Amino acid sequence: MKFGVIVFPGSNCDQDCFNVVKDVLKQPVEYIWHADTKLDHFDCLMLPGGFSYGDYLRTGAIARFSPIMDSVKKFSEKGRGLIIGICNGFQILTEAGLLPGALQRNKDLRFICKPVELKVQNHKTKFTKKCKPGQILNIPIAHGEGNYTCDEKTLRELKKNKQIVFTYHKENPNGSMASIAGIINKKGNVLGLMPHPERASEAVLGSEDGLFILRSILSSRK
Amino acid sequence: MTEPQVYRELGLTDAEYQRILGILGREPSSTELAMFSVEWSEHCGYPRSRKYLKLFPQTGKYQALVGEDAGGIVYDDTAIIFKMESHNHPSQVEPREGAATGVGGIIRDIFTSGARPIACLDSLRFGDISNPFNKFIMNGVIDGIQFYGNCVGVPTVGGEIYFNNAYAGNCLVNVMCVGICKKDELVRARAEGIGNSIIYAGSRTGRDGIGGCSVLASAEFKCTDEEKRPTVQVGDPFTEKCLIEATLESLKTGVVTGIKDMGAAGLTCSSSEMAAAGGVGIEFDLKDIPLREEGMEPYEIMMSESQERMLLCVKAGQEKKIIDIYTKWGLEAVKIGAVIEGGLIKIANNGEPICEVPVKELANAPLYDLPWEENRKSKIDNRKLDKPKDLNKVLLKLLASPNIASKKAVFEQYDHMVQTNTSVYPGGDATVLRIKGKPWGLAVTSDCNGRYVQLDPYLGAQIAVVEACRNLVASGADPAGVTDCLNFGNPEKPDRYFYFKRAVEGIADICRQMELPVVSGNVSFYNESPQGAIFPTPTIGMVGIVKDIKKRCSVPFKDRGDLIVLLGKNKEELGGSEYLSVIHGQEAGSPPELDLELEKRVQSVCLTAIEVGIVKSAHDLSEGGLAAALAECAILGKMGASIRLKDTFREDALLFGESQSRIILTIAPQDIFALTDIAMLFALPFEIIGKVGGKKLAVEGPKKKLLDLPVAKLADAYFSALRR
């Protein structure tokens, strides 16, 4: 399975995503510069965390205008591969309209970096098929703007379509509506989540729970 | 004829001005005068400290790299580069930008060498936080660190925060950065090859930070000094992140022969020091420098400390390769000049010569031997101290003292995991980082108890070094190299200078005995406000090697039934302790004594036991003594312990005294024989003091119960102090 990690100026988890695919999943992976446009030979695109364009103006607000984003949209429409946006990647996907809603500043206005517990709300997606129903995953967050928000109609739809994939378990660290930590699009090929599975994929880092998500992606092609 | 007032305002003395006349054989131009003033300031040229800095050992048990911007050590095929630097005065004037640019500056010092920055640590000192102004400074500094550090993608993995009113008018912000690269990929900060090009890359030059190092960093402080705010720079972490990637990519091309960042003293320092290091000259015209605004004077361009700028020496004919890389990352890069023969820095402004100075002389600041005067040592008589009735209350009060309390509320605001190397999180003794593709890892820490140094500069500075070592050892690392940030008062006052001299001697002596090289560092003088000088604070940054990353160790208790072992010896010492300050309101006495032979044996036993694989948790004893250390292991491990102590001296000294050379370990009961063998090997007596388990921390003395507290209650005190 061929992975592509999109690099925006200011991305800072691009190398972490690249390394986990190459060293842990042992799959082919390439960096994709934000000014490129060709994506046809990839099976999974990763939009990494970081501060694209310094997150000036608003997180993800400038990155959505990068040349690559038109190709990302087409890639999702064709439905031949998967797209996962982590942290800043999730923020870019909502700004680009590939996922509904928006991510506001954390409720106490502070950046938070710590391990959190996630509950798998939908284990039947291509990103969670290796998880058990309601499984609890230990994966860290690191963001200043992870407070998921949408209008009531969208929230009803998200619930009805089982698009809410992960919620924060017990403690809601950032004030997200319905404790939402990650959602998927209707078609089921675009996932956005605030926690960082690439930071929880090796025992030496304290948790391997991120692999449930990454290995689900791998098995989706089989 | 230059009026004395002109050069004095720039921070130059009459004698220094005469020396400039001698070097040039004529009156300096305003640009030249400005350049001398910054190069000869304490911040750049170390005229008032170099004499003693020469005492530091430059070799140790690992190969040491002592060089231009940042030094380091070599392990395996890897160069580990690290340095610590202060940004005290800018942070006192403008906390957020001051701290942010402190982070940016030290990160540039590291990647300038070709090493990728992998970790930052922040060592901070503030006045008492019950005072709203001190709290404002602290919140601003933390905000600046998280704003810059999180965006730039280098994890902030550790550091310390101390509070004392000695820092009320002059906070300390010391930032350390660690980077790694293959040892043969290191790049020098020098210009070489006559005819090679000098390229300017990064942000444009503006009017920010003019005179930052000579005016702001090299004079005493008056209250908030608001008129000095324009001397503080403004940082842009997004540009820095792009600058890191573009620079490391450029260095991989092999056409860059040398590179230096523009930090303190900006273009003046980078151009003249690169030329001096290469034994060549440099020539450029200011019309080619990318400027942020029109109408800047030549001296302003040369002194500006605008952030996120680099100066490169590139092989002639290969300029486009480098310019293209920076352009790809959205950064400007332009050729501004060339390397010339003859050792002169020649600067023109639109073709008109405005500077022609020999770089060797410019980069060679005067050397001063300042007078010093010994301070009287303070003494306390333990017998005159009241014995507290309720030791439980004392422990809770100490755990809630901001100096001991958990700094979790702070380090959770920093991204301490990006780059996916952080293996033992901050909040314990040292932070442990794995190195991708290697069986080994690194442990990093910073340390200094300024109160000890105030009470006895020689001993206090030595304790800062051995305590940093113990932090590393308790994490499973072999201490390998030291960087320091020497924060002191006005060196022209003999009593202040004494602290500096003795602290440096203390560090130099102990590092030599511990076989640790001092690979880099920074001196920050003039840390005074109208309230007086700060506590002398020689902050020690240290890097250790975890030979097998699987054998890393951390503070929390791990399993019920494990034995708790104390390495080292309890002594009846209360001088300089947090207990004495918090409970008795005294900051007096002699710091705890240091028996270096015992210290070495304690460290050897601890490290060997961890490397053999029998240690489940380890914690160094420091502020708050044995009781605070046990409480921390229990709180972080979420399990209690029952302890029985045999020592018969004063109970407050036993529980809260800060005697050196002590570490507590936990091991499985069956491993006691293995531990005994190791301890015998190093002839170290040790004591089994208790067992992990239950929900309470219960401590019994030889005669009666001393402590009995639920872990939940301890945790409450420990975590609540720094929450807003």
Side-chain angles (χ1 to χ4, degrees):
Chain A
M1 189 167 187
K2 177 94 176 183
F3 283 77
V5 177
I6 299 178
V7 183
F8 299 93
S11 292
N12 66 25
C13 303
D14 46 339
Q15 297 173 23
D16 302 350
C17 287
F18 185 96
N19 288 331
V20 81
V21 173
K22 180 171 144 279
D23 298 336
V24 183
L25 298 183
K26 314 257 184 229
Q27 297 296 310
V29 54
E30 279 176 27
Y31 289 116
I32 309 167
W33 186 237
H34 72 117
D36 292 346
T37 49
K38 282 207 178 118
L39 293 174
D40 292 340
H41 58 301
F42 292 106
D43 303 307
C44 177
L45 301 180
M46 301 178 94
L47 280 74
F51 291 67
S52 54
Y53 297 92
D55 275 351
Y56 295 137
L57 187 60
R58 195 172 65 238
T59 53
I62 305 176
R64 64 170 281 214
F65 293 110
S66 274
I68 192 75
M69 288 310 292
D70 277 335
S71 308
V72 172
K73 254 180 215 168
K74 280 181 201 138
F75 186 94
S76 84
E77 282 158 13
K78 276 192 219 157
R80 70 168 288 269
L82 300 181
I83 300 173
I84 176 170
I86 301 165
C87 199
N88 194 225
F90 184 15
Q91 293 161 343
I92 296 168
L93 289 174
T94 59
E95 283 287 337
L98 284 164
L99 289 171
L103 293 141
Q104 303 192 81
R105 289 193 70 184
N106 296 346
K107 66 170 186 276
D108 68 356
L109 305 181
R110 283 184 182 192
F111 190 97
I112 313 167
C113 174
K114 64 174 184 184
V116 296
E117 287 186 339
L118 294 184
K119 187 167 186 181
V120 179
Q121 295 291 352
N122 182 351
H123 67 286
K124 290 181 175 163
T125 76
K126 289 178 172 169
F127 301 90
T128 49
K129 56 201 288 190
K130 292 267 178 190
C131 301
K132 293 188 187 80
Q135 187 176 346
I136 305 298
L137 304 177
N138 183 345
I139 298 181
I141 54 167
H143 58 247
E145 286 155 73
N147 179 354
Y148 184 83
T149 311
C150 60
D151 59 31
E152 297 226 342
K153 184 168 162 263
T154 308
L155 186 62
R156 276 200 302 276
E157 274 186 27
L158 287 175
K159 284 180 178 164
K160 194 181 87 195
N161 302 332
K162 296 196 176 353
Q163 284 174 258
I164 300 171
V165 182
F166 303 109
T167 53
Y168 298 108
H169 185 55
K170 290 183 192 157
E171 185 205 356
N172 179 346
N174 52 25
S176 285
M177 200 176 262
S179 280
I180 288 173
I183 56 169
I184 198 167
N185 65 345
K186 249 186 216 166
K187 213 162 160 185
N189 64 339
V190 180
L191 172 79
L193 78 168
M194 288 314 295
H196 288 266
E198 81 281 11
R199 296 186 183 188
S201 293
E202 293 169 83
V204 71
L205 301 178
S207 169
E208 296 181 281
D209 287 358
L211 287 176
F212 285 102
I213 299 170
L214 298 172
R215 294 223 165 102
S216 295
I217 293 175
L218 270 189
S219 70
S220 72
R221 296 283 293 179
K222 280 167 195 162
Chain B
M1 180 72 196
T2 311
E3 294 291 326
Q5 169 193 350
V6 174
Y7 58 75
R8 282 183 200 152
E9 260 176 32
L10 288 168
L12 288 165
T13 65
D14 294 359
E16 286 168 343
Y17 182 69
Q18 289 305 319
R19 183 167 153 163
I20 294 169
L21 291 181
I23 291 168
L24 298 177
R26 59 174 165 81
E27 289 274 321
S29 69
S30 59
T31 308
E32 289 168 335
L33 193 62
M35 289 167 65
F36 274 105
S37 78
V38 288
E39 272 303 281
W40 289 5
S41 69
E42 188 57 39
H43 203 78
C44 292
Y46 301 105
R48 290 162 190 83
S49 56
R50 271 194 346 261
K51 178 180 173 204
Y52 290 99
L53 301 181
K54 285 181 192 154
L55 298 175
F56 288 144
Q58 301 198 338
T59 55
K61 50 189 153 177
Y62 297 92
Q63 184 192 337
L65 303 160
V66 183
E68 283 138 19
D69 260 330
I73 51 160
V74 176
Y75 184 73
D76 195 0
D77 62 349
T78 305
I80 302 146
I81 305 297
F82 50 99
K83 188 183 181 188
M84 191 186 295
E85 208 162 68
S86 64
H87 234 216
N88 307 337
H89 285 179
S91 303
Q92 183 74 26
V93 175
E94 215 301 309
R96 185 177 193 261
E97 295 303 334
T101 52
V103 174
I106 193 68
I107 290 175
R108 279 195 301 285
D109 271 350
I110 298 303
F111 72 76
T112 292
S113 67
R116 176 173 286 279
I118 59 163
C120 282
L121 295 89
D122 304 285
S123 176
L124 312 176
R125 305 286 183 284
F126 304 104
D128 187 345
I129 40 165
S130 57
N131 172 322
F133 184 71
N134 296 337
K135 194 157 186 181
F136 158 78
I137 300 267
M138 176 183 87
N139 287 339
V141 165
I142 291 167
D143 191 36
I145 292 169
Q146 70 85 21
F147 154 72
Y148 204 103
N150 293 349
C151 179
V152 81
V154 179
T156 300
V157 302
E160 349 109 58
I161 312 179
Y162 280 93
F163 302 91
N164 193 294
N165 271 336
Y167 306 104
N170 191 129
C171 69
L172 300 186
V173 175
N174 294 176
V175 192
M176 172 174 166
C177 183
V178 184
I180 54 167
C181 65
K182 293 258 178 294
K183 66 180 175 198
D184 47 19
E185 286 175 357
L186 282 173
V187 187
R188 305 293 300 272
R190 68 203 299 177
E192 56 183 30
I194 308 302
N196 279 347
S197 292
I198 299 299
I199 288 182
Y200 170 115
S203 291
R204 295 181 153 236
T205 296
R207 283 202 167 99
D208 49 337
I210 291 173
C213 66
S214 54
V215 180
L216 193 53
S218 303
E220 276 182 45
F221 231 28
K222 293 177 200 76
C223 288
T224 54
D225 264 353
E226 286 185 18
E227 74 275 15
K228 285 184 178 168
R229 206 159 280 170
T231 53
V232 179
Q233 317 85 332
V234 176
D236 174 4
F238 167 59
T239 300
E240 176 110 336
K241 168 66 178 162
C242 294
L243 197 63
I244 296 176
E245 299 305 330
T247 301
L248 292 179
E249 201 174 319
S250 295
L251 296 180
K252 286 223 157 44
T253 61
V255 305
V256 179
T257 66
I259 181 168
K260 192 168 169 70
D261 75 301
M262 294 187 229
L267 193 51
T268 298
C269 175
S270 54
S271 58
S272 59
E273 290 183 12
M274 276 179 80
V280 293
I282 283 183
E283 167 177 69
F284 58 93
D285 192 317
L286 295 182
K287 75 174 177 358
D288 299 317
I289 308 289
L291 298 181
R292 207 174 279 167
E293 53 192 307
E294 283 178 25
M296 282 183 71
E297 296 291 330
Y299 83 90
E300 291 181 311
I301 299 172
M302 290 307 293
M303 285 172 84
S304 163
E305 294 186 5
S306 289
Q307 298 289 291
E308 293 96 22
R309 300 179 301 158
M310 308 294 286
L311 200 66
L312 293 83
C313 179
V314 176
K315 285 182 188 160
Q318 304 287 336
E319 300 83 357
K320 189 170 179 300
K321 242 184 216 170
I322 299 305
I323 291 170
D324 284 351
I325 292 173
Y326 281 96
T327 309
K328 181 186 123 186
W329 283 97
L331 297 167
E332 247 176 306
V334 288
K335 177 177 169 171
I336 60 165
V339 179
I340 54 170
E341 275 180 88
L344 289 178
I345 178 158
K346 287 189 187 176
I347 305 170
N349 189 24
N350 269 314
E352 184 198 332
I354 53 162
C355 163
E356 196 172 308
V357 176
V359 289
K360 273 229 164 85
E361 306 289 344
L362 180 59
N364 180 27
L367 182 59
Y368 297 119
D369 189 5
L370 301 181
W372 49 271
E373 180 188 302
E374 186 158 357
N375 304 0
R376 203 181 311 151
K377 284 188 183 162
S378 90
K379 278 190 184 141
I380 49 156
D381 185 351
N382 283 358
R383 286 167 303 180
K384 287 189 184 148
L385 290 174
D386 291 337
K387 291 183 184 170
K389 286 192 190 76
D390 187 345
L391 293 164
N392 286 329
K393 265 193 194 153
V394 173
L395 177 59
L396 290 173
K397 206 165 171 191
L398 281 177
L399 289 175
S401 147
N403 286 337
I404 293 178
S406 169
K407 310 298 184 290
K408 194 173 170 188
V410 176
F411 68 72
E412 278 186 357
Q413 294 180 58
Y414 306 148
D415 188 340
H416 50 268
M417 306 169 187
V418 65
Q419 299 194 15
T420 54
N421 296 321
T422 315
S423 187
V424 174
Y425 289 166
D429 282 328
T431 304
V432 179
L433 304 166
R434 62 94 173 256
I435 302 297
K436 293 187 186 92
K438 305 285 183 194
W440 52 272
L442 296 177
V444 291
T445 189
S446 68
D447 227 302
C448 182
N449 182 326
R451 190 190 287 142
Y452 289 172
V453 187
Q454 171 78 19
L455 294 172
D456 183 337
Y458 185 81
L459 178 57
Q462 294 207 315
I463 289 176
V465 175
V466 293
E467 161 128 28
C469 289
R470 278 202 306 276
N471 284 336
L472 296 181
V473 162
S475 308
D478 186 20
V482 171
T483 181
D484 58 37
C485 193
L486 307 170
N487 307 275
F488 292 86
N490 183 345
E492 290 148 44
K493 298 180 182 171
D495 58 329
R496 321 293 209 240
Y497 201 63
F498 170 75
Y499 285 122
F500 170 75
K501 169 185 150 31
R502 286 302 283 161
V504 169
E505 287 168 350
I507 294 168
D509 288 350
I510 198 93
C511 284
R512 199 160 275 122
Q513 282 161 321
M514 305 291 285
E515 294 177 85
L516 291 169
V518 178
V519 301
S520 58
N522 166 237
V523 179
S524 173
F525 280 139
Y526 303 99
N527 289 293
E528 305 215 6
S529 67
Q531 293 104 297
I534 57 159
F535 277 169
T537 311
T539 310
I540 300 297
M542 206 180 281
V543 172
I545 309 287
V546 182
K547 287 183 178 143
D548 177 358
I549 189 71
K550 291 193 193 105
K551 302 273 170 59
R552 64 194 180 276
C553 199
S554 62
V555 168
F557 286 147
K558 300 292 184 308
D559 295 300
R560 281 162 224 296
D562 286 347
L563 300 180
I564 302 170
V565 174
L566 174 73
L567 304 181
K569 208 170 149 243
N570 301 323
K571 297 178 196 171
E572 189 173 353
E573 294 177 304
L574 283 172
S577 64
E578 187 69 13
Y579 164 78
L580 196 60
S581 164
V582 171
I583 305 298
H584 296 280
Q586 292 190 44
E587 300 193 279
S590 170
E593 62 177 31
L594 179 61
D595 172 348
L596 187 60
E597 282 315 305
L598 177 67
E599 177 72 43
K600 282 185 183 171
R601 282 184 286 147
V602 166
Q603 292 188 19
S604 298
V605 170
C606 178
L607 186 58
T608 309
I610 292 174
E611 286 177 346
V612 166
I614 57 172
V615 178
K616 294 214 190 158
S617 74
H619 194 14
D620 152 55
L621 269 60
S622 58
E623 287 86 7
L626 181 60
L630 287 167
E632 285 165 352
C633 298
I635 293 164
L636 297 172
K638 298 190 176 81
M639 56 184 89
S642 36
I643 308 289
R644 185 180 283 271
L645 299 172
K646 287 186 278 195
D647 307 80
T648 51
F649 53 83
R650 286 181 71 113
E651 289 148 354
D652 52 356
L654 175 60
L655 292 176
F656 311 116
E658 298 174 7
S659 294
Q660 293 298 297
S661 315
R662 294 184 295 167
I663 295 175
I664 44 178
L665 309 175
T666 58
I667 55 170
Q670 69 269 22
D671 288 326
I672 190 63
F673 303 107
L675 183 68
T676 309
D677 286 349
I678 295 167
M680 277 174 65
L681 193 65
F682 294 97
L684 181 80
F686 68 90
E687 197 183 328
I688 300 170
I689 57 170
K691 215 181 235 184
V692 177
K695 290 184 172 173
K696 290 198 301 188
L697 176 65
V699 179
E700 272 186 57
K703 287 183 214 145
K704 60 172 186 181
K705 207 170 241 183
L706 303 178
L707 293 173
D708 191 13
L709 283 162
V711 176
K713 205 166 176 187
L714 295 170
D716 200 38
Y718 185 65
F719 288 119
S720 61
L722 285 191
R723 293 237 178 264
R724 214 181 292 182

